[in-house]
Amino acid sequence: MQLQQVIIVYKAGDTHSQRWAEKCARQLEAQGCHILMGPSGPKDNPYPVFLASATQAIDLAIVLGGDGTALAAARHLAPDGIPILAVNIGGHLGFLTEPADLFMDTEQVWQRILEDRYAVQQRMMLRARVADRDVDPTDIPEEEPFYTALNEMCIKPASADRMITSILELEIDGEVVDQYQGDGLLVATPTGSTCYTVAASGPILHPGMEAMAITPICPLSLSSRPIVLPPGSRVSVWPLADRELATKLWMDGVLCTSIWPGQRVDIWMAKYRARFVLLRENYSYYRTLREKLDWAGARIQYNNNHRITN
């Protein structure tokens, strides 16, 4: 990979990640690389300016923060195929990020990238739009505004003074599947299956899959169960009986827009993928599950003599 123009993003308000970003910028600029650097957070979105002001193709995005910082990078950079090196500096859980200890020797990291000694993991993403009842859900012109998510799209109400129960009707490929009464509905990618979805008792999907997991949030029915769909499916969600006009669409935990009476949310798999650079030579998704979710297994540990070879 060439390093001629690079984005460096750090977690807004975190001085530790900002210092690391400044260090990386100095090192790469000394090698003749043009740097676009700025903070990313709930009130800071540097990507539209970066993409509009880029004088040439962007080779790499270095994202220093946690999973939320990495999610924001994926939403904005995946459509252009820009690879993302996300490092857990200033973050917490770190499902999507490389561990900070692999980033201590940054000069060695740049050398590895220049010599193509890394892997790229591609992760499925979702797109969504809010449409009126007279719009065909299969008719999706490219110029129409969309919302993009790496983890999940969520339809649920929001109110400043009370908890509101939502009633949502689910359609898959034009056929009504169920009506859910509860806190909302999640449509997640395999990446998002270990986030809000797993907290709502949804299934865990391997990130190498292409699938969508639909999970009701606290449904008032024991028969309302999660559903896993193939990637070509079209999902439509209609809010019903929303007298307070409180139903919202959220992407990766970020508020997108309100959904008004007569409107629905259409969700489908994006054509592009998020591309994450992996530095770990022994990367294991199952080890990540054990470590990040604190899987304890059996309380009593037994010897597995079947693993012993002569």
Side-chain angles (χ1 to χ4, degrees):
M1 179 190 296
Q2 300 182 74
L3 292 178
Q4 296 181 354
Q5 183 153 251
V6 172
I7 289 174
I8 300 179
V9 171
Y10 56 89
K11 182 179 178 179
D14 186 81
T15 56
H16 184 48
S17 61
Q18 182 176 355
R19 285 196 298 267
W20 272 98
E22 293 168 350
K23 174 184 176 181
C24 295
R26 289 193 300 269
Q27 292 177 347
L28 291 173
E29 284 175 339
Q31 299 180 23
C33 179
H34 181 249
I35 301 298
L36 301 168
M37 186 174 75
S40 174
K43 298 181 180 179
D44 297 279
N45 180 10
Y47 297 104
V49 174
F50 288 167
L51 296 173
S53 61
T55 56
Q56 60 190 48
I58 297 171
D59 300 304
L60 177 69
I62 301 168
V63 179
L64 308 176
D67 287 334
T69 316
L71 288 168
R75 288 196 300 271
H76 289 92
L77 302 180
D80 292 316
I82 299 171
I84 300 167
L85 173 56
V87 185
N88 191 15
I89 297 179
H92 300 289
L93 195 57
F95 249 104
L96 295 174
T97 55
E98 294 293 277
D101 56 359
L102 287 180
F103 202 67
M104 293 297 101
D105 188 352
T106 49
E107 294 285 5
Q108 183 184 39
V109 171
W110 314 142
Q111 194 62 35
R112 285 185 60 182
I113 291 175
L114 290 169
E115 296 175 357
D116 292 335
R117 292 190 289 118
Y118 58 88
V120 175
Q121 184 181 59
Q122 301 195 54
R123 291 175 177 258
M124 170 189 157
M125 301 190 73
L126 295 176
R127 301 189 84 180
R129 69 172 178 183
V130 175
D132 295 324
R133 70 181 73 197
D134 57 348
V135 176
D136 185 349
T138 63
D139 180 20
I140 304 175
E142 287 299 321
E143 64 272 11
E144 189 168 330
F146 300 101
Y147 303 100
T148 301
L150 175 58
N151 266 355
E152 76 278 310
M153 294 293 180
C154 178
I155 300 95
K156 69 175 183 178
S159 175
D161 54 2
R162 59 190 291 264
M163 297 176 63
I164 301 175
T165 298
S166 64
I167 302 175
L168 304 173
E169 184 172 86
L170 171 68
E171 289 184 10
I172 300 175
D173 296 330
E175 182 176 353
V176 175
V177 175
D178 200 356
Q179 289 185 352
Y180 302 99
Q181 185 173 358
D183 287 354
L185 194 66
L186 294 162
V187 181
T189 66
T191 297
S193 70
T194 52
C195 191
Y196 197 172
T197 292
V198 77
S201 300
I204 292 178
L205 307 179
H206 191 283
M209 296 178 61
E210 290 186 347
M212 292 185 285
I214 300 180
T215 305
I217 307 171
C218 300
L220 297 176
S221 170
L222 295 178
S223 65
S224 296
R225 309 304 301 168
I227 308 173
V228 178
L229 304 178
S233 301
R234 300 275 181 165
V235 176
S236 296
V237 181
W238 295 82
L240 305 178
D242 184 14
R243 298 178 182 85
E244 299 185 31
L245 307 180
T247 307
K248 316 288 184 184
L249 172 64
W250 311 73
M251 58 180 180
D252 294 338
V254 177
L255 178 63
C256 297
T257 185
S258 297
I259 308 168
W260 302 107
Q263 291 183 325
R264 68 174 187 274
V265 179
D266 294 329
I267 304 169
W268 65 98
M269 186 182 80
K271 294 181 180 179
Y272 45 79
R273 307 287 185 275
R275 303 177 65 222
F276 285 93
V277 173
L278 298 180
L279 298 176
R280 285 167 284 179
E281 297 179 1
N282 61 342
Y283 171 79
S284 168
Y285 175 68
Y286 306 108
R287 183 186 303 115
T288 301
L289 288 179
R290 293 196 306 269
E291 294 175 352
K292 302 301 182 182
L293 298 182
D294 287 331
W295 283 2
R299 295 300 180 183
I300 301 174
Q301 298 297 318
Y302 295 92
N303 292 325
N304 187 350
N305 295 325
H306 300 288
R307 294 184 179 274
I308 300 174
T309 57
N310 295 327

